[in-house]
Amino acid sequence: MKPLLNTLLKAVVPVAIGVAVTVLLFRNEIGTAGFDDFSFTPRALVGCLLAVLFMCGRDFGLTWRFHTIAWPQLSWKRSLRVDLMCAFTSAITPSAVGGSAFAIFYLNREGVSLGRASTLTLTTLFLDELFFVVFCPIILLVVPFGELFGSNGHDAVFMDTVQVLFWLVYAGIVVWTTILYLGIIHKPQMVSRLIRRLFCLRWLRRWRRGAFETTHNMEKASAELRNFSRRWWLNVFGATVVSWFSRYLIVNALFWGFAPESSGLLVFCRQFVVWVILMISPTPGGSGVSEWLFTEYYGDLMGAGGLALTIAIAWRIVSYYVYLIAGSLLLPTYFGRRRCGRAAA
């Protein structure tokens, strides 16, 4: 009961942060008469419904991926449950931590052994990072650099900051993806030895136990993943692409409904930048940071500043608060029932 109450209390924190920032932004827009041109039209309603549909697409992609990588232990229903609980954990932890780190626990709760759960979690983490590595060059090819990071309609200092943060985080993603690739696919023993030696250094010894456990999981993951075919990899990466594209298309649907004059391609590609930057958000689930960043970054695509805030709020409701509610509803039964199947360590 105590862990359950603690988790529910943590869910209150991101909500409070998000509401506080939204109220501050709202007050600012009222002061500049930013909502004068806003109207909720039938087209806007259809856009909201499409956003909900793409939200379901996001969950379908991740459920499909969990079902594929953990087959035959996870049914579609149990895979969806793992997906929703991971999304809930992401919503109540800082974005730098994310929900993927807790997938080991949820998979084990569903009957997957701890060893295999560690393997599967590293695999999903690698696939998500690989998505960003692969699609960044494509994004830069299809959209002019100046439209992604130009200061037209923006504060130049703000856009320069966005650009610097994006490239710093992307560089970190590339390095981390390379380590994961070498560690779980290509050269697991080499990476394991390197990490073990590194964490034997005096100033890193306090994290040595966790590092050694990670290298052990990498070696186990490598042994299992080498048995999978190229078709299997295309399948799980395809599911990853479906989930991320659906996440981006939520915003496209809202812009189609509220600001149809905006460039759909630019709206889509800017989501790539937004999600990369949100990876280092210090707040739970990016609360506060998400609303502010979205309003500022997309503001030049709409005539009224209040419209950007309206779309930002709708975006957060569909892509964030829904998972807070779903996770809170699942939590009591999730911790109250016994493990599914056998989950040996």
Side-chain angles (χ1 to χ4, degrees), residues 32-256:
T32 57
F35 288 93
D36 288 350
D37 299 326
F38 172 74
S39 60
F40 194 83
T41 63
R43 184 187 182 103
L45 176 60
V46 174
C48 290
L49 294 175
L50 285 173
V52 173
L53 179 64
F54 286 126
M55 179 199 73
C56 295
R58 176 258 180 213
D59 290 311
F60 168 74
L62 292 180
T63 301
W64 171 21
R65 188 171 73 177
F66 277 122
H67 178 67
T68 302
I69 65 175
W71 186 86
Q73 289 176 289
L74 287 191
S75 63
W76 281 96
K77 179 180 178 180
R78 287 157 66 180
S79 298
L80 175 61
R81 198 156 54 200
V82 172
D83 161 52
L84 292 177
M85 290 307 300
C86 286
F88 173 72
T89 307
S90 295
I92 63 173
T93 57
S95 299
V97 177
S100 60
F102 293 88
I104 296 175
F105 168 77
Y106 298 129
L107 287 167
N108 182 245
R109 194 75 184 174
E110 295 294 345
V112 180
S113 68
L114 277 175
R116 188 157 192 254
S118 300
T119 296
L120 301 182
T121 301
L122 281 173
T123 306
T124 59
L125 182 59
F126 170 70
L127 290 167
D128 284 330
E129 304 302 317
L130 183 64
F131 169 82
F132 285 99
V133 172
V134 169
F135 280 95
C136 180
I138 298 175
I139 293 296
L140 294 175
L141 282 175
V142 299
V143 176
F145 191 83
E147 292 187 19
L148 275 180
F149 300 110
S151 58
N152 182 29
H154 277 115
D155 178 3
V157 175
F158 168 78
M159 289 305 294
D160 288 343
T161 303
V162 167
Q163 183 178 344
V164 170
L165 284 176
F166 172 80
W167 288 116
L168 286 175
V169 177
Y170 181 73
I173 292 172
V174 171
V175 171
W176 179 228
T177 306
T178 303
I179 293 173
L180 286 173
Y181 170 73
L182 293 173
I184 66 176
I185 298 175
H186 193 56
K187 296 284 187 181
Q189 288 78 21
M190 182 191 75
V191 174
S192 180
R193 286 196 300 268
L194 181 62
I195 292 177
R196 287 172 182 269
R197 288 177 181 175
L198 184 64
F199 280 85
C200 283
L201 296 176
R202 190 174 185 178
W203 56 87
L204 294 176
R205 284 178 185 172
R206 59 174 9 176
W207 299 288
R208 181 169 56 181
R209 182 175 180 180
F212 283 13
E213 184 176 343
T214 299
T215 59
H216 176 69
N217 290 336
M218 281 184 176
E219 291 181 9
K220 292 186 67 173
S222 177
E224 181 171 348
L225 294 176
R226 286 179 182 178
N227 296 324
F228 294 135
S229 65
R230 183 178 300 177
R231 181 179 179 181
W232 183 91
W233 280 105
L234 289 174
N235 197 15
V236 293
F237 187 68
T240 303
V241 173
V242 167
S243 68
W244 278 107
F245 272 33
S246 296
R247 207 178 307 216
Y248 293 176
L249 288 170
I250 290 173
V251 177
N252 277 83
L254 293 173
F255 266 85
W256 179 87

Side-chain angles (χ1 to χ4, degrees), residues 2-28:
K2 189 174 180 179
L4 175 60
L5 291 175
N6 289 337
T7 305
L8 290 174
L9 286 175
K10 287 180 181 178
V12 176
V13 176
V15 173
I17 295 174
V19 170
V21 172
T22 300
V23 169
L24 289 174
L25 293 171
F26 187 81
R27 286 180 59 187
N28 181 61

